Amino acid sequence: LLFEINNQLKTLESQARKAEKFYEIKKEYKEIAIELAKAALEGFNITYKELHEQQDTETDKKIRLEAEIATEEALIEQEKVGFIEKERALQSLQHEFNDYLQDLRTRENEKNLATQKLHYLKEKEAGLKEFLEKAEGQLKTIGDSIEYTQLQVGDERANLLDLQEKVENAKFDVEDKRRIFDEKRTGVDALRNRYQQIQRSQFDAEKKVAVADTSILNLQRAQAQLNNEKQNRESQLQQLTVELRDKEATLDARRIDLRQLQEHQEKTREQIFETQAQLEVLRNELNEENRKLDSKRNEFNLLKSLIDSMEGYPESIKFLHKNPEWNHAAPILSDIIYVKEEFRTAVENVLEPYLNYYVVNNLEEGLQAIHLLDAHKKGKANFFLLEKFADIRVDTQQPADTIKALDVIEVDDRYRKLAEYLLGNVYIGENEEAIANSNGAVVLEKHGKYVKGKYTLTGGSVGLFEGKKIGRAKNLEKLSEEIADQESVVNLLKSDIQAKHNEVIAFNDQLKENVIKQTENEISQLTNQVFAAKNRIENLQIAQQNGLQQLEDIDQRLQAEHDAIAATREEFHILNERLQTTTEELKTVEQAYQLAEQEYNFASVQYNENNLQYTRQQSKITTLQQELVFKENQLNDLHLQIANNTTQLSEASADITEGEKTLIGSEEMLLEMMRKKEAEEKKLNEADQTYYNLRNALQEKESELRLKVKSKEMIDHLVADIKDRLNELKLSLAGMKERLIVEFKVELDEILDQERKTDTSLEELQAASDRMRKRLDNMGEVNPTAIEAYTEMKKRYEFILEQKNDLVSAKESLLQTIQEVEATANQQFLDTFNQVRENFQKVFKALFTEED
């Protein structure tokens, strides 16, 4: 790992030098960019001001036009009201006239169709006659054209033979010039190959001489470098010897401090263990009280759920409990009486027939509930009427060895008379001897095994659910109070635990583990530094011996290089002379070669031109032959058309005679209808003229209004265009500002009021900026944190050493803690599991019987 860190440090050093060069170029690039931004801002301010002035002018025009448009629109709306009335009167006249006009147009259409048909037949007759007259002239013209085209084909074929002879002569001339050109090229290629061989030999000799000179120069540099390193190692050895003595003295002093800190640490740990033992006892007590609190809360939630859902009550009671159409808040007898735990089963046995009775204030409330049950078919219910128990008194005599049932219950004052009525003659006996002397009272066994009346005796086994129904609401209130008391006990234990925990934290603060670790790290670092100093001294001594040996080797290698390169230098001078002679000879041969090449190229051009003229002549003859075929086909088609048109001319003459007879009848009927139409039309025109005069005046005003609206819209488009241009300028300015912040961390607002340092134009500044950016891009990736990375790498080495020592000590401590935690956790889990198992069995037996 240390070897890898050393290589990384060397890499970081070269990256730092590259970063320094990068920042120099970037600084110059920043100055050019700022100057470019200032120049751009000057043009931006001028353009921005001109656009704002233009925008203000157009806005004023827009406001004036909007005022004029609003005024004219109001006037036009007033005129439209009168115009609509005249339009309706004109429409009625037009409908009458249009109906008559429609009939007239039908007659006119019939006449027009007859006229058009007659006109079409006459035109067709005249066209056929004209075609037949022209056809004779076309026949003569086409025949003359065919004879002329045949003469042209003969003349062009004679010209084609002359051109073919010229092409063959030019081809022979090109082949002769090509042979001379190939001979000259072969001679030039041979001389060039010889020149290249000499040049390669001269290059190899020159390369050997250059390599030898470079090797000699490198050996001389290495010799000077080894001498400098020898002097540096001598000074480093003296410095390291002094440093080693100082570090050994410091190491002894830190070891003494470490022993003292460790003794103080052991005493503080003993105090922490004692406090933690007390804290563990308090935590066990807190767990026990929390279990009691959870038990109370679970019982409270279960009981509340039973009360809310009316579990165990008949359907009629549940219906009345949720129905707001009567006094549904009225309580049930089982909810208003609370009985002490040990007497609950006994009292419930005697009150069992009445536990589902509602306690209402008067007869009206009871009847209201009964009507609801009857209306909804929900069964029956029983009610106690409180107003009937106001004056009731129960006289009885208490049997011996008994206690009053009223003394073991709790009930609100408003229900006290009802309780006296139900339990005033009820007593609870401790044993069976109280049965004999009951004196007419009802005697209960304490645990509910029997109930002795005046003439009856009831009893038997006691079920697990007996005693659970009476006093649910009161029991819920008692549980709420018990939960509050238990929560205060739990909170008190938590405060005690927090106090002990604070004591442990105070003792932990007294621990000086960090100081001990720091001292151990310092000792470890000093030990490593002493060891490293000794190693460096040994390495420097070995390096000094190796340097002396390398100096002797370099002297011997220098002498050997000088002797080996002498013969190669002489050969290099001879090859230079041969190369110069061959160069002059090659120039002469190449001139003759270029002359032959020019003659060959000229002959090729002449051959290509003759060949092109020959090809064009062939195409011309082909075109004339195609034209001759076309004219012969045209002559045949014309003969066929003359025959068809002669037949059509005779048919058209017969149709014209019949159409003239039909047209005369239609014209007579149409004349009568036209006279009537003129009278109606005159009347309509007068009304129509008045209407259109008014409409034209209105349209002129609307046209003027539309022109103004259009002008306003054009101004809106112009203002929007100006805003777009302003936004583009703002975006350009924002882009320039963002670029300056991102690339150079320069705020544009800071340079707004600064003057330019130069008069360079915007284009020249842009070109300079592009060149600087290109230089930065060509440098490639630059590591700007190379120096910081070196410091981090050194810290990493020290950190790795420190982490190793921490991991060793932490491993031992962690293994010991794991053993302690496993032993404690296993024991506590078994204890908790056994307690939960016992409590679950008790709760299960209390909730269910053997039959369930």
Side-chain angles (χ1 to χ4, degrees), residues 5 97 446 466 593 595 730:
I5 293 174
F97 180 75
K446 180 178 180 180
E466 291 187 14
Y593 167 71
L595 181 61
K730 290 178 182 178

Side-chain angles (χ1 to χ4, degrees), residues 371-512:
H371 292 326
L372 283 174
L373 292 173
D374 180 54
H376 292 86
K377 308 300 180 184
K378 291 294 183 179
K380 297 181 179 180
N382 301 305
F383 303 89
F384 283 118
L385 307 178
L386 279 180
E387 63 180 4
K388 301 298 182 182
F389 296 98
D391 300 328
I392 195 168
R393 296 186 64 183
V394 178
D395 296 328
T396 184
Q397 185 176 0
Q398 182 176 354
D401 298 327
T402 61
I403 59 176
K404 292 182 178 180
L406 292 173
D407 294 339
V408 299
I409 69 171
E410 295 179 10
V411 66
D412 294 343
D413 292 340
R414 64 178 301 201
Y415 304 116
R416 190 70 188 177
K417 289 293 185 178
L418 175 60
E420 290 177 357
Y421 168 74
L422 295 173
L423 300 175
N425 194 32
V426 178
Y427 299 92
I428 301 173
E430 295 289 338
N431 47 47
E432 295 182 2
E433 295 177 359
I435 298 175
N437 300 318
S438 62
N439 295 328
V442 178
V443 180
L444 310 176
E445 198 272 330
K446 180 178 180 180
H447 301 292
K449 293 181 180 179
Y450 60 81
V451 177
K452 170 65 173 61
K454 185 175 182 180
Y455 304 109
T456 60
L457 177 66
T458 305
S461 63
V462 180
L464 292 175
F465 284 100
E466 291 187 14
K468 303 297 183 182
K469 190 173 182 180
I470 192 170
R472 285 181 178 180
K474 290 290 184 180
N475 193 26
L476 193 66
E477 295 176 3
K478 296 288 184 180
L479 282 174
S480 179
E481 295 174 358
E482 291 177 3
I483 288 171
D485 295 338
Q486 189 67 26
E487 286 177 347
S488 63
V489 173
V490 170
N491 292 331
L492 183 61
L493 283 173
K494 286 182 178 179
S495 62
D496 293 340
I497 290 172
Q498 185 62 37
K500 290 296 181 182
H501 182 67
N502 293 336
E503 291 181 10
V504 172
I505 293 174
F507 287 130
N508 285 329
D509 292 338
Q510 295 178 8
L511 292 175
K512 297 183 178 179

